Amino acid sequence: MAGSYNHKLIEGKWNKKWEENPVNVDDGKKEKYYCLDMFPYPSGNGLHVGHWRGYVISDVWSRYKMMHNYYLIHPMGWDAFGLPAENYAIEHGIHPSISTAENIKNIKRQINQIAAIYDWGREVNTTDPDYYKWTQWIFVQMFKKGLAYEKEMPINWCPSCKTGLANEEVVNGKCERCHSEVTKKNIRQWMLKITAYAERLLADLDKLDWPEKVKKMQTDWIGKSYGAEVDFKVDGKDDVITVYTTRPDTLWGATFMVLAPEHELAASLSTPETKEAVDKYIYEASMKSNVDRLQDKDKTGVFTGSYAINPLNGKKTPIWLSDYVLADYGTGAIMCVPAHDDRDFEFAKKFDLPIIQVIAKDGKEIENMTEAYTEASGTMINSGDWNGMESSVLKKEAPEMIEKLGYGKKTVNYKLRDWVFSRQRYWGEPIPIIHCPDCGAVAVPEEQLPVLLPDVEKYEPTGTGESPLAAIDSWVNTTCPCCGKPAKRETNTMPQWAGSSWYFLRYVDNKNDKELVNREKADKYLPVDMYIGGVEHAVLHLLYSRFYTKFLNDIGVVDFDEPFKKLFNQGMVCGRDKETGAAT
Ligand SMILES: [Zn+2]
Ligand SMILES: [Zn+2]
């Protein structure tokens, strides 16, 4: 009938025809093309238009590639562990696996109604034991290589709700639920040593056909900087205080030094006149949380009574303690250059410490400094042999010069920190570790994987900082795989990122129960040629996936070390078609 479009009839006809006569067949002659969407979280609300905004691009692009006679890999799956399903379970008492399965069924129905051309034969679900067996397997391999380790780490803690909080649940330092002041609590966490890959994660960005914006965000996140560790002798003693600085070029302007109150030398630097004040300050700092210390607007501090010798000019610089320096950052000691650093300037003004300008615009010294001169460009002044040098040139050369002079050594630092990889939550992959009183932390033997997530009655966090799994004695109590004595299972679970850091590999061999992915299939179909998704994943998900891929490359699972050749952020769809890859 003219003018009316019977979508049910038309879609029904074509869906059936496509099913009967698949066009996308690997005949061994076609070149492959892997077009990937970021897989969704199967939310109870079903598919929303924002999902399809991304998927429609990959759908069009996939059809285009198929028509150009590529064998297309265009899969879909589910990133299904995480808090929303768990919170739903807490509220409604419905097991997360049940609500997740229902949500997946619904979204799949919606996607099929739109007639998107996903290859459902490749479907994966991160909460399926056949899938998370391999998520756990990767963890075991990392553990064996020393890349997964345990550490006491501070978490956000609400003393009134008696639970750990995610950063997103802390609003202005208060608990989102009960508005109590959030404190820090040290608990044992599993960490992944992503910092061991910092240099490769940075250098290999050059290989990637990704939007410059995303590369820049990853570069900043990794945050490589050059600097120097400079040794200051303590005046009249044998002690040496080492400071780390990214600005050794300003060493002539270092007029005082600040140590964290926990610094191993802190207490010993006091003199009979200052001892009482120093001890009191150290005690008071120990009562404060790191967050409070960093957020305190009003800087506090105490003079130790001792001096350090600036190695370049031999001048005595007073040594102070202040709790804005944290013991676990750098060496726990900093040299302060108030003329060129805002925080040091503020501290110098408050405690009436000398300010010496060493970088000057056009070589002219500022007469009455009312704020730090923080621009990187200028000419060196008040700096002995360095006078007249361009500061940007000196900044690059100073670390080497200081090392040659024997005053310290040049260093490379990264902002990137190791990844806190455990959650005290129920709905995640159990960490496949057994704790034995004699053998310590032991990996669950590979043939015993997966460690199944047990059923629980209560999904709520326990209030002790432990996961609800800790309450299931029959699950927790086991035997040590090494010595056979009674031992306990690890009760923390993995973060939601665990399953999404490698899922793109599994799509090409999703039913393999012997290996994560068959090497022949991996060589043939991987890596991903085009990855489409939101810019909100520019750092974490994309960085974690690159880290996992490099690790799996190192242990011989795949022969490439970057997972996604080309990246397209659908958020840029308006007017940025240069970056859609449409011309390639
Ligand atoms: Zn609370
Ligand atoms: Zn043992």
Side-chain angles (χ1 to χ4, degrees):
M1 213 198 305
S4 84
Y5 168 64
N6 189 334
H7 65 90
K8 280 189 181 150
L9 200 71
I10 305 248
E11 281 165 9
K13 175 185 159 187
W14 285 104
N15 281 342
K16 190 158 175 280
K17 191 158 168 108
W18 289 338
E19 232 166 75
E20 284 165 0
N21 301 296
V23 274
N24 188 42
V25 180
D26 182 13
D27 60 5
K29 286 180 227 133
K30 289 180 188 173
E31 212 180 308
K32 68 95 185 179
Y33 191 87
Y34 189 164
C35 182
L36 179 66
D37 287 295
M38 288 184 183
F39 65 168
Y41 174 79
S43 134
N45 301 324
L47 205 64
H48 58 78
V49 77
H51 284 119
W52 187 244
R53 192 177 78 152
Y55 302 161
V56 74
I57 299 168
S58 73
D59 195 67
V60 169
W61 189 241
S62 294
R63 288 171 194 271
Y64 172 83
K65 282 290 177 184
M66 223 163 65
M67 284 192 261
H68 279 76
N69 211 30
Y70 283 91
Y71 171 59
L72 180 77
I73 297 153
H74 187 44
M76 182 47 86
W78 316 100
D79 187 13
F81 273 128
L83 270 183
E86 188 175 310
N87 287 342
Y88 190 82
I90 292 170
E91 271 170 47
H92 300 95
I94 294 172
H95 195 281
S97 65
I98 294 170
S99 55
T100 301
E102 279 171 5
N103 297 345
I104 287 175
K105 209 170 127 193
N106 181 40
I107 298 180
K108 206 165 158 179
R109 179 187 61 82
Q110 292 176 312
I111 289 178
N112 281 333
Q113 263 184 338
I114 302 170
I117 52 163
Y118 293 113
D119 181 350
W120 291 111
R122 298 190 178 280
E123 186 176 356
V124 301
N125 172 348
T126 56
T127 66
D128 179 350
D130 291 338
Y131 180 91
Y132 71 69
K133 169 182 176 171
W134 298 105
T135 310
Q136 292 176 337
W137 182 86
I138 298 171
F139 183 89
V140 168
Q141 308 313 310
M142 288 191 175
F143 177 70
K144 287 180 178 167
K145 297 278 180 196
L147 292 169
Y149 65 96
E150 291 172 278
K151 192 182 175 193
E152 288 278 326
M153 286 288 288
I155 60 162
N156 301 311
W157 180 260
C158 174
S160 128
C161 299
K162 291 190 170 53
T163 184
L165 303 174
N167 284 335
E168 299 74 38
E169 295 170 311
V170 181
V171 180
N172 296 326
K174 295 196 163 72
C175 171
E176 183 190 50
R177 275 175 272 183
C178 73
H179 309 291
S180 305
E181 203 73 39
V182 173
T183 60
K184 289 270 157 178
K185 179 176 167 132
N186 269 331
I187 62 163
R188 185 186 53 86
Q189 300 273 25
W190 279 95
M191 309 287 293
L192 292 188
K193 207 172 186 172
I194 189 171
T195 53
Y197 285 73
E199 191 54 46
R200 286 165 68 189
L201 287 168
L202 186 67
D204 290 349
L205 284 170
D206 284 345
K207 294 191 206 169
L208 302 175
D209 185 5
W210 286 17
E212 284 307 318
K213 183 166 102 178
V214 176
K215 289 196 200 181
K216 168 96 172 46
M217 286 167 82
Q218 294 218 351
T219 304
D220 292 347
W221 187 266
I222 296 165
K224 183 177 182 175
S225 63
Y226 295 94
E229 280 178 12
V230 185
D231 298 329
F232 285 67
K233 286 203 178 88
V234 179
D235 190 31
K237 290 189 175 182
D238 291 334
D239 295 321
V240 171
I241 297 171
T242 302
V243 303
Y244 168 72
T245 173
T246 55
R247 298 298 307 276
D249 53 310
T250 62
L251 193 48
W252 281 84
T255 54
F256 59 99
M257 178 181 275
V258 176
L259 267 54
E262 299 83 3
H263 193 284
E264 53 176 7
L265 293 177
S268 71
L269 291 168
S270 66
T271 60
E273 294 79 48
T274 62
K275 187 174 186 329
E276 199 186 331
V278 167
D279 289 349
K280 182 166 175 269
Y281 191 81
I282 293 174
Y283 173 75
E284 281 170 359
S286 72
M287 295 286 109
K288 282 198 211 170
S289 74
N290 282 356
V291 177
D292 287 343
R293 285 170 57 164
L294 291 175
Q295 281 173 353
D296 269 351
K297 291 230 168 54
D298 202 20
K299 302 266 178 297
T300 60
V302 65
F303 176 47
T304 60
S306 292
Y307 294 83
I309 307 293
N310 185 325
L312 269 189
N313 55 21
K315 276 194 184 168
K316 281 166 68 168
T317 58
I319 305 171
W320 284 65
L321 304 183
S322 176
D323 62 11
Y324 76 81
V325 177
L326 300 179
D328 54 6
Y329 179 77
T331 61
I334 58 171
M335 64 172 217
C336 296
V337 185
H340 304 286
D341 180 279
D342 290 329
R343 207 171 50 169
D344 297 350
F345 186 86
E346 198 187 316
F347 197 86
K349 279 284 176 200
K350 178 161 181 191
F351 296 104
D352 204 18
L353 293 157
I355 297 171
I356 297 175
Q357 191 184 349
V358 291
I359 302 172
K361 203 174 193 167
D362 311 320
K364 283 192 210 84
E365 194 163 349
I366 300 165
E367 282 195 7
N368 272 316
M369 266 200 155
T370 51
E371 55 179 4
Y373 176 74
T374 53
E375 279 173 50
S377 67
T379 312
M380 300 312 295
I381 57 167
N382 298 324
S383 295
D385 294 349
W386 293 349
N387 279 342
M389 280 185 80
E390 209 28 67
S391 72
S392 56
V393 175
L394 181 61
K395 185 170 184 254
K396 287 194 195 100
E397 293 176 1
E400 183 98 36
M401 290 160 94
I402 281 162
E403 188 170 289
K404 280 202 181 130
L405 289 165
Y407 299 152
K409 59 174 193 214
K410 59 176 181 179
T411 57
V412 174
N413 262 50
Y414 299 93
K415 252 191 241 159
L416 185 68
R417 291 282 170 266
D418 280 345
W419 177 7
V420 181
F421 197 71
S422 40
R423 300 288 181 270
Q424 294 68 48
R425 291 290 192 165
Y426 170 68
W427 190 231
E429 301 88 347
I431 290 179
I433 293 286
I434 291 168
H435 296 279
C436 168
D438 291 340
C439 314
V442 180
V444 171
E446 285 173 29
E447 62 276 12
Q448 289 174 25
L449 298 179
V451 176
L452 292 173
L453 184 63
D455 262 332
V456 294
E457 304 256 317
K458 283 188 162 95
Y459 308 100
E460 285 89 347
T462 55
T464 59
E466 285 187 305
S467 113
L469 296 181
I472 316 173
D473 289 340
S474 60
W475 185 81
V476 171
N477 292 315
T478 181
T479 51
C480 171
C482 280
C483 69
K485 284 187 194 149
K488 289 189 187 300
R489 282 189 195 283
E490 171 63 56
T491 58
N492 282 330
T493 54
M494 298 188 194
Q496 190 169 5
W497 307 105
S500 63
S501 295
W502 69 278
Y503 75 108
F504 39 90
L505 305 175
R506 186 67 178 172
Y507 277 140
V508 305
D509 197 13
N510 62 341
K511 292 172 191 75
N512 193 336
D513 61 358
K514 303 279 184 302
E515 305 160 285
L516 185 155
V517 59
N518 170 271
R519 180 60 189 262
E520 236 170 80
K521 286 187 181 169
D523 289 351
K524 194 167 170 190
Y525 298 129
L526 292 166
V528 173
D529 294 287
M530 169 69 98
Y531 196 19
I532 298 174
V535 75
E536 68 273 19
H537 296 292
V539 177
L540 300 179
H541 164 60
L542 291 171
L543 197 70
Y544 295 154
S545 300
R546 295 181 60 219
F547 164 50
Y548 265 55
T549 303
K550 287 181 188 304
F551 172 71
L552 293 170
N553 175 233
D554 285 352
I555 62 168
V557 175
V558 294
D559 81 334
F560 50 89
D561 65 357
E562 282 292 341
F564 316 122
K565 286 200 217 166
K566 197 174 179 90
L567 176 72
F568 174 68
N569 293 129
Q570 82 248 31
M572 296 176 181
V573 73
C574 304
R576 292 292 295 269
D577 56 2
K578 198 178 95 217
E579 284 175 4
T580 62
T584 60

